Amino acid sequence: VSRAAYDEIAGWYDEVIRSGPQSLFHDLVLPAVLELAGEVEGIRVCDLACGQGVVARALAERGAEVVGIDVSKGLLDIARRYEREELRGISYVLGDAQGLAGVEDASFDGVVCNLALMDIPDLEACLSAVARVLRTGGWFVFSVTHPCFQTPASSWTEDENGNSWRTVRGYFAEGFWRSDLPEGIRGRVGAYHRTLSTCMNALSGAGFALERLTEPQSTGRLAGEVPGYREVPPILVARCKKLRVEG
Ligand SMILES: C[S@@+](CC[C@H](N)C(=O)[O-])C[C@H]1O[C@@H](n2cnc3c(N)ncnc32)[C@H](O)[C@@H]1O
């Protein structure tokens, strides 16, 4: 995903999050991420690839001291505008997750990265930067589109009985791809697909231990709109603990 990709769609992305038609985000993703982050009162948390700051604000409202970092100036401008409108003590910093230059070692108790690891070309560089800025014993919570079901050639189909099926191909085709649905995020900016084993091995390689995984199932309103979400999880959410610094 090019650096400028989200600058070009910053206003649109903010509108998507704000107006909530993408109820997947508010119904399933955000609650799952906040649940795995757990109690955050009084601790220092980095919202990595924070976008317009929706997760940062949710964490700050739960009492965390939050720093949001993102590579998109356009989205950071929007995040800062929200902060000016209602002060929550969040600071926003322009930075690249693949290094986090200028961010001090061991300066966070927790790092959250919501729906953004798929946007970052060098996963290993990103995870070693996350490990570096976390204190030992600190946690890393992230959500990604589910690597097993959101592959470069997957789609929903419906059988003659009206049942939804997820058909999956291209699981092993790691790398950049772009959805052929032009109106969605992944049609607009593309994504990096990685297998589950690539993701998990990269985490342990960077010095993380997996503590918990969740694959939220939709049962409510969202399942009415996309019945397949009752059958197949659209996202994977993980909580990991930093054991040591890589290298
Ligand atoms: C799908 S958006 C998610 C934004 C936010 N976490 C949320 O939940 O709304 C992906 C974000 O990743 C950011 N991003 C992409 N590459 C990045 C990088 N190398 N460093 C930091 N942020 C990056 C984009 O600018 C964008 O804000």
Side-chain angles (χ1 to χ4, degrees):
V1 178
S2 92
R3 293 248 174 129
Y6 279 88
D7 281 337
E8 279 162 25
I9 62 161
W12 174 83
Y13 187 76
D14 176 49
E15 191 56 38
V16 167
I17 298 295
R18 233 158 29 99
S19 58
Q22 210 200 11
S23 45
L24 172 64
F25 191 94
H26 293 283
D27 291 2
L28 225 54
V29 180
L30 199 52
V33 164
L34 293 174
E35 195 205 327
L36 286 204
E39 176 64 62
V40 295
E41 175 85 47
I43 67 170
R44 230 175 103 75
V45 179
C46 172
D47 179 8
L48 187 62
C50 61
Q52 52 84 288
V54 57
V55 178
R57 287 186 290 281
L59 292 165
E61 277 156 17
R62 285 161 177 75
E65 183 194 330
V66 185
V67 178
I69 300 179
D70 201 283
V71 82
S72 161
K73 188 180 171 305
L75 281 169
L76 286 180
D77 285 345
I78 297 172
R80 290 184 180 121
R81 198 183 69 218
Y82 285 120
E83 179 63 17
R84 280 196 303 277
E85 284 167 10
E86 190 178 337
L87 296 178
R88 296 176 175 86
I90 306 171
S91 43
Y92 289 103
V93 178
L94 185 69
D96 185 344
Q98 301 162 115
L100 293 175
V103 182
E104 252 185 76
D105 293 1
S107 54
F108 289 102
D109 302 296
V111 173
V112 169
C113 185
N114 191 48
L115 292 179
L117 291 180
M118 315 84 72
D119 289 287
I120 294 172
D122 190 339
L123 180 64
E124 286 178 8
C126 172
L127 294 179
S128 81
V130 172
R132 181 180 66 73
V133 303
L134 274 173
R135 65 167 172 78
T136 299
W139 50 263
F140 177 43
V141 168
F142 67 86
S143 71
V144 286
T145 50
H146 202 301
C148 302
F149 306 114
Q150 180 71 272
T151 64
S154 55
S155 60
W156 292 112
T157 54
E158 199 179 288
D159 66 19
E160 64 278 9
N161 301 316
N163 294 318
S164 281
W165 293 76
R166 187 79 183 165
T167 39
V168 174
R169 267 180 67 80
Y171 178 69
F172 295 108
E174 295 193 296
F176 186 77
W177 67 287
R178 193 182 284 275
S179 157
D180 52 16
L181 301 171
E183 289 311 308
I185 293 177
R186 301 302 155 193
R188 288 169 195 250
V189 298
Y192 290 89
H193 170 65
R194 300 174 179 107
T195 62
L196 186 61
S197 48
T198 293
C199 299
M200 294 299 138
N201 292 334
L203 283 164
S204 57
F208 288 102
L210 182 63
E211 288 192 322
R212 218 175 139 205
L213 275 183
T214 58
E215 298 169 293
Q217 181 190 23
S218 179
T219 51
R221 179 167 61 97
L222 181 60
E225 285 165 25
V226 188
Y229 288 164
R230 248 188 247 281
E231 308 295 329
V232 174
I235 58 160
L236 178 71
V237 191
R239 179 181 168 111
C240 307
K241 186 177 187 165
K242 178 196 161 176
L243 301 178
R244 60 185 159 78
V245 183
E246 169 71 351

